[in-house]
Amino acid sequence: MSNPQSDSQEPSRVARAAQRLRSLDQAPHAVEAVRRMRRVLPGDHSFGDPLSAAGEGSARAIARAADKLFHDSPGASREVGFAALQMWQALREWSGKGEGDAEVTLVFTDLVAFSTWALEVGDEDTLRLLRAVATAVEPEIVARGGRVVKRMGDGLMADFRSPAVAVEAMHAALANLAEVDLDGYRPAMRVGIHSGHPRRIGDDWLGVDVNIAARMMEAGRDGNVVVSEVVLDALDADWLRQRGLKVKEHRRFFLNRARGVPEDLRMFQLVRC
């Protein structure tokens, strides 16, 4: 026969054991030990936070689910799980199934004097314009294998695998934009293009190359397409001529240098012949 007293003590022993395991799992020294291990493993040692887990991909999707499940109980086991996902994501990069260290062409766009116009006309017309601009611009990006990384009010950030494809897409977008007329208002768009090796964080890009691409766009002023020397070097002169484009060095930028951009950076306008 079983001992009733022994049977009644069993749940309490299990509860105490579970509590000890939780205490060990959440002990600061155990958590820190796993975090130190993650810092020497390949891949992003912060993988699993909201920024790094944003976007597509199975590892990122599992990381988001795990973060929700364990958000209120951080512990060593949680860090071990993210370490495994960190390694998985790194292996995908090495096998060519992730972003890896491939060169990326970044594009920034912005509408010229948009804020002043929007203040005058109000929200309804502003929304009509933004929809018309998106219809003119974004399909040209997607049709050429580009990706709209994010929309920023009246502008966007996109990425491409080729400088030539990026230039072609944006000039097609500008041709479409030239047909947009909202009650007599015809928007102008400035474009900046730069190629480099930014760091992929979730669905976004970070790093100096992102800053450079944004500065290209800012240098576009009243509606120019400005590219970095890196992009120009990747474009064949005959290819440019066939598309009716000529190159003009952009010098205005050097009168007003921006932080976070190399001092010897050269910039060029691509203009229609």
Side-chain angles (χ1 to χ4, degrees):
M1 293 180 62
S2 62
N3 187 330
Q5 184 176 0
S6 177
D7 290 345
S8 65
Q9 290 176 346
E10 186 64 26
S12 62
R13 283 199 295 267
V14 172
R16 286 195 298 271
Q19 181 60 44
R20 283 196 294 271
L21 286 174
R22 281 195 296 271
S23 297
L24 288 172
D25 184 54
Q26 296 175 11
H29 67 275
V31 175
E32 182 55 32
V34 181
R35 286 177 177 169
R36 285 198 300 270
M37 176 193 73
R38 290 191 63 186
R39 285 193 283 271
V40 300
L41 290 174
D44 179 5
H45 65 261
S46 295
F47 186 77
D49 68 353
L51 188 61
S52 65
E56 300 177 352
S58 48
R60 293 188 179 110
I62 294 173
R64 290 194 294 272
D67 185 59
K68 289 181 180 179
L69 183 62
F70 297 110
H71 182 72
D72 295 328
S73 57
S77 59
R78 177 182 186 272
E79 293 297 326
V80 169
F82 282 131
L85 292 171
Q86 170 185 335
M87 289 286 292
W88 181 13
Q89 185 69 9
L91 287 170
R92 286 176 57 82
E93 302 290 349
W94 292 339
S95 65
K97 296 179 180 179
E99 297 299 331
D101 193 38
E103 185 174 85
V104 177
T105 299
L106 300 174
V107 173
F108 279 83
T109 73
D110 182 49
L111 295 182
V112 178
F114 170 80
S115 298
T116 302
W117 175 84
L119 187 62
E120 294 174 354
V121 301
D123 292 344
E124 185 175 344
D125 282 344
T126 296
L127 183 57
R128 286 173 58 204
L129 178 70
L130 291 178
R131 284 176 169 158
V133 170
T135 300
V137 173
E138 295 188 19
E140 300 295 348
I141 295 172
V142 175
R144 291 166 175 81
R147 179 177 67 105
V148 176
V149 178
K150 55 187 174 184
R151 297 170 184 82
M152 301 169 289
D154 58 313
L156 59 78
M157 174 186 178
D159 59 23
F160 294 85
R161 285 302 183 193
S162 161
V165 173
V167 169
E168 197 168 60
M170 297 320 299
H171 275 280
L174 287 169
N176 291 345
L177 189 67
E179 303 299 320
V180 174
D181 186 330
L182 191 69
D183 301 329
Y185 177 73
R186 304 178 73 89
M189 185 172 72
R190 53 185 179 171
V191 178
I193 307 176
H194 173 65
S195 293
H197 294 80
R199 182 174 179 182
R200 178 74 180 260
I201 301 293
D203 230 14
D204 205 348
W205 298 100
L206 296 177
V208 172
D209 289 311
V210 178
N211 294 337
I212 293 174
R215 297 297 180 259
M216 299 293 115
M217 181 269 292
E218 291 174 3
R221 301 288 181 173
D222 54 355
N224 298 309
V225 177
V226 178
V227 305
S228 67
E229 187 173 15
V230 178
V231 170
L232 186 62
D233 287 344
L235 302 176
D236 182 75
D238 289 336
W239 184 89
L240 288 168
R241 280 194 295 270
Q242 290 168 8
R243 284 155 182 78
L245 298 173
K246 64 180 180 179
V247 179
K248 177 182 177 183
E249 186 159 6
H250 187 83
R251 298 183 181 277
R252 184 187 303 175
F253 178 78
F254 294 98
L255 301 175
N256 182 22
R257 295 192 186 279
R259 290 182 297 174
V261 174
E263 291 189 0
D264 59 349
L265 180 70
R266 297 179 68 196
M267 310 167 71
F268 301 85
Q269 289 183 23
L270 297 182
V271 297
R272 289 286 180 187
C273 296

